[in-house]
């Protein structure tokens, strides 16, 4: 942190009072742009949201700066004590500003995002025609749509209309562009006599589920949404969960494009319905997961506050307000 000289003492007091803060260093006058005191500390993950919330209440970011990074390894008895004092589990802790920053970056409608989504959908389109699940899996690995979906869930929870709009734009424009590109590639492959309409109409026991939505479509979408949000907030296996998200979206979009290219409208309609169901299920499940996590950590904060008030292990001077949404 860079704290203006008139705020430095308040910031240092805030950090000193928090049981999850350790390795606190204050270098007076070390910062030059912006000018102020450089303050360094380590914070256990389950207290990071409280610390950031307190710094924002002090307005440090307005005239100074706050930057955070993960520490991969710490060998310190003081750090072990801070982890024991902090309520909750670090593996389950949610740092809301980190989540918002990470997902906000993924709403940009960039050329890389569009190209990756187009490639993923075209690969899935070929997989649909060949009835090859391995190509479907390959397309799922390439698909980048997890970012905007996660950003949409976070923005809805935090009521950030601008981010909601950018996320929806990235999803709508991205999938429309990908489906157009897939339809064009299907026509090109047909002209080259590499694929044909008969391949789409033939029995496809391994991939025909893509255009036949049912109750399990909701189940898969809901499970994918829960897994995706837990992966995002806990930073566990994010790339693998992105593949799970894609299994419910990219193949359906590809089947819409291929079926529309060949004029098989009943299959295109079924795939489009599958895509809409899965997207809605992912967003609803993701939003519910984030909501439960927010309520849980507010409960942890209130419980810790009651413990402090009752004079238990953490002293009253260490009380901090519960994390904000």
């Amino acid at each position: 942190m860079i704290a203006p000289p008139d705020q430095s003492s308040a910031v240092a007091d805030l950090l000193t009072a928090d049981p999850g803060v350790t390795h606190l260093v204050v270098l007076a006058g070390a910062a030059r742009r912006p000018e102020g005191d450089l303050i360094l500390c380590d914070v256990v993950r389950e207290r990071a949201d409280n610390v950031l919330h307190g710094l924002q209440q002090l307005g440090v970011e307005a005239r100074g700066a706050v930057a955070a990074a993960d520490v991969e390894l710490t060998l310190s008895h003081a750090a072990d004590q801070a982890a024991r004092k902090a309520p909750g589990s670090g593996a389950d802790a949610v740092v809301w500003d980190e989540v918002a920053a990470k997902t906000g970056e993924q709403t940009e409608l960039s050329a890389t995002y569009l190209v990756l989504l187009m490639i993923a959908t075209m690969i899935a389109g070929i997989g649909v025609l060949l009835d090859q699940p391995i190509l479907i899996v390959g397309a799922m690995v390439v698909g980048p749509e997890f970012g905007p979906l996660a950003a949409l869930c976070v923005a809805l929870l935090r009521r950030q209309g601008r981010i909601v709009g950018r996320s929806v734009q990235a999803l709508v424009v991205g999938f429309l562009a990908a489906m157009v590109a897939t339809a064009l590639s299907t026509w090109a492959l047909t002209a080259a006599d590499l694929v044909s309409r008969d391949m789409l109409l033939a029995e496809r026991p391994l991939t025909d589920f893509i255009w036949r939505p049912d109750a399990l479509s909701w189940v898969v979408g809901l499970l994918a949404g829960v897994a995706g949000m837990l992966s995002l907030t806990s930073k566990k296996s994010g790339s693998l969960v992105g593949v799970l998200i894609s299994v419910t979206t990219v193949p359906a979009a590809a089947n819409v494009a291929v079926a529309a290219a060949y004029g098989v409208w009943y299959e295109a309609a079924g795939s489009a319905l599958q895509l809409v169901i899965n997207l809605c299920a992912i967003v609803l499940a993701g939003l519910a997961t984030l909501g439960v996590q927010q309520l849980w950590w507010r409960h942890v904060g209130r419980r810790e506050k009651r413990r402090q008030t009752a004079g238990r292990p953490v002293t009253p001077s260490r009380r901090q307000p519960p994390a904000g949404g």
Side-chain angles (χ1 to χ4, degrees):
M1 290 146 284
I2 296 178
D6 59 326
Q7 287 185 318
S8 181
S9 295
V11 172
D13 290 343
L14 170 73
L15 299 173
T16 302
D18 196 288
V21 176
T22 188
H23 307 154
L24 178 61
V25 179
V26 179
L27 302 175
R32 291 292 179 266
R33 185 181 299 174
E35 292 186 358
D37 298 344
L38 176 62
I39 302 177
L40 308 173
C41 68
D42 288 341
V43 185
V44 295
R45 184 170 178 84
E46 51 268 46
R47 294 296 296 177
D49 199 59
N50 295 66
V51 170
L52 290 171
H53 184 64
L55 293 171
Q56 289 171 335
Q57 286 187 322
L58 291 175
V60 175
E61 75 278 9
R63 296 166 53 207
V66 179
D70 287 323
V71 177
E72 297 297 333
L73 174 64
T74 301
L75 301 178
S76 166
H77 180 66
D80 294 338
Q81 285 185 318
R84 285 193 294 269
K85 291 178 181 178
S89 169
D92 298 329
V94 181
V95 184
W96 291 104
D97 287 305
E98 176 190 50
V99 172
K102 184 189 303 181
T103 55
E105 295 172 355
Q106 299 180 31
T107 60
E108 182 180 356
L109 193 60
S110 63
T112 300
Y113 167 79
L114 289 174
V115 170
L116 285 175
L117 191 54
M118 289 179 185
I119 291 173
T121 309
M122 287 190 283
I123 292 173
I126 296 173
V128 164
L129 291 171
L130 297 178
D131 196 31
Q132 287 294 329
I134 191 170
L135 292 178
I136 300 295
V137 173
M140 287 150 38
V141 173
V142 178
E145 73 282 8
F146 174 53
L149 280 170
L152 178 58
C153 295
V154 174
L156 286 171
L157 181 71
R158 296 168 68 94
R159 300 178 183 177
Q160 297 173 319
R162 184 176 62 87
I163 303 298
V164 170
R166 287 171 52 188
S167 302
V168 171
Q169 180 188 45
L171 289 169
V172 172
V173 175
F175 275 112
L176 286 178
M179 287 188 284
V180 169
T182 302
L184 293 174
S185 69
T186 300
W187 288 331
L189 293 173
T190 303
D193 201 25
L194 296 175
V195 298
S196 67
R197 188 173 188 270
D198 293 336
M199 296 172 68
L200 181 69
L201 298 177
E203 290 293 326
R204 292 181 286 126
L206 300 179
T207 57
D208 68 349
F209 72 92
I210 294 172
W211 64 276
R212 298 178 187 273
D214 54 23
L216 288 178
S217 301
W218 272 105
V219 173
V220 173
L222 291 171
L223 293 175
V226 173
M229 289 306 104
L230 290 177
S231 168
L232 176 70
T233 57
S234 64
K235 307 174 70 174
K236 301 290 186 182
S237 304
S239 59
L240 295 179
V241 175
V243 174
L244 175 60
I245 296 294
S246 293
V247 73
T248 62
T249 54
V250 167
N255 210 95
V256 171
V258 172
Y262 286 133
V264 184
W265 298 111
Y266 67 90
E267 190 165 326
S271 302
L273 180 59
Q274 180 83 277
L275 178 61
V276 171
I277 288 174
N278 289 333
L279 288 174
C280 291
I282 291 170
V283 172
L284 288 174
L287 186 59
T289 302
L290 291 173
V292 169
Q293 288 179 299
Q294 185 181 63
L295 290 174
W296 167 250
W297 282 102
R298 284 180 175 174
H299 168 71
V300 169
R302 288 192 295 267
R303 185 176 61 186
E304 184 65 12
K305 186 175 181 179
R306 288 195 297 268
R307 286 182 58 190
Q308 296 167 2
T309 303
R312 292 184 180 177
V314 180
T315 61
S317 61
R318 288 175 176 166
R319 280 180 288 173
Q320 291 296 321

